Amino acid sequence: MRVLLIHSDYIEYEVKDKALKNPEPIPDEMKKGRMDEVLVAFISVEKVDEKNPEEVVEKAVEEIVNVAKQVKAENLFVYPFAHLSSELAKPSVALEVLKKIEEKLKEKGYNVGRAPFGYYKAFKISCKGHPLAELSRTIVPEAAKEE
Ligand SMILES: Nc1ncnc2c1ncn2[C@@H]1O[C@H](CO)[C@@H](NC(=O)[C@@H](N)CO)[C@H]1O
């Protein structure tokens, strides 16, 4: 899994078109979204993550919470982003992993938004530009490390 973390004044998105034959079904209110004072996590779920999705969910949540505490962000935004890797997991696994990350972050008390999965989206983001405002993480299941 590849994660790009951007501490932002805001992020906003608008769904434009289907990028998959069967994108995630979404209600009208999810076709546009905005979150302010937010730590945005652009996430590419990778093929290697299919070896242990539960483990990469736990590790991703830990990494995101770690950075959220450092930058004092209470709002988090999970953004499905298929452009951080050339070895992508299949969409069914990716969507489940992203939903689990969202769920577990909420369980930890954060306000969590998520952009719809399987669509082309226009988006605007305002990076805060401080030293910890742009970070990236690579997360792999332990099993993959032994190979
Ligand atoms: N392994 C994966 N990890 C993260 N997201 C993934 C994925 N496989 C499919 N998607 C989603 O389907 C859209 C088309 O690839 C993706 N759309 C995007 O990445 C938008 N930024 C438009 O390009 C994304 O919503």
Side-chain angles (χ1 to χ4, degrees), residues 4-89:
L4 174 63
L5 294 159
I6 307 291
H7 190 205
S8 309
D9 298 316
Y10 70 87
I11 181 162
E12 57 184 45
Y13 74 85
E14 180 179 358
V15 167
K16 288 298 181 188
D17 208 347
K18 288 184 176 184
L20 294 175
K21 192 156 157 277
N22 299 306
E24 175 188 14
I26 53 170
D28 283 349
E29 58 269 21
M30 269 190 81
K31 288 188 175 155
K32 281 185 181 181
R34 179 184 170 105
M35 212 165 197
D36 295 290
E37 293 308 312
V38 58
L39 178 61
V40 182
F42 292 96
I43 300 178
S44 286
V45 184
E46 296 186 286
K47 199 95 197 122
V48 68
D49 300 326
E50 294 179 2
K51 292 180 189 296
N52 194 337
E54 296 73 24
E55 183 187 348
V56 293
V57 166
E58 289 304 322
K59 286 184 172 180
V61 167
E62 190 183 332
E63 290 290 348
I64 293 167
V65 167
N66 235 330
V67 173
K69 285 178 177 165
Q70 288 180 67
V71 302
K72 297 181 176 51
E74 291 166 13
N75 299 328
L76 306 176
F77 197 81
V78 175
Y79 198 109
F81 201 70
H83 314 285
L84 301 175
S85 171
S86 55
E87 303 278 326
L88 292 175

Side-chain angles (χ1 to χ4, degrees), residues 52-147:
N52 194 337
E54 296 73 24
E55 183 187 348
V56 293
V57 166
E58 289 304 322
K59 286 184 172 180
V61 167
E62 190 183 332
E63 290 290 348
I64 293 167
V65 167
N66 235 330
V67 173
K69 285 178 177 165
Q70 288 180 67
V71 302
K72 297 181 176 51
E74 291 166 13
N75 299 328
L76 306 176
F77 197 81
V78 175
Y79 198 109
F81 201 70
H83 314 285
L84 301 175
S85 171
S86 55
E87 303 278 326
L88 292 175
K90 56 179 181 252
S92 57
V93 172
L95 178 54
E96 273 321 295
V97 164
L98 292 161
K99 282 180 166 178
K100 283 266 183 348
I101 290 170
E102 175 191 12
E103 184 188 310
K104 290 187 180 299
L105 289 171
K106 284 179 176 171
E107 285 167 9
K108 288 184 178 288
Y110 289 94
N111 304 316
V112 188
R114 181 171 62 80
F117 183 94
Y119 296 92
Y120 294 114
K121 296 176 286 296
F123 72 93
K124 290 179 185 161
I125 189 166
S126 168
C127 174
K128 287 182 176 290
H130 61 71
L132 293 178
E134 300 158 282
L135 297 168
S136 65
R137 296 287 186 272
T138 297
I139 294 163
V140 290
E142 284 307 313
K145 287 180 181 169
E146 279 128 42
E147 285 171 14

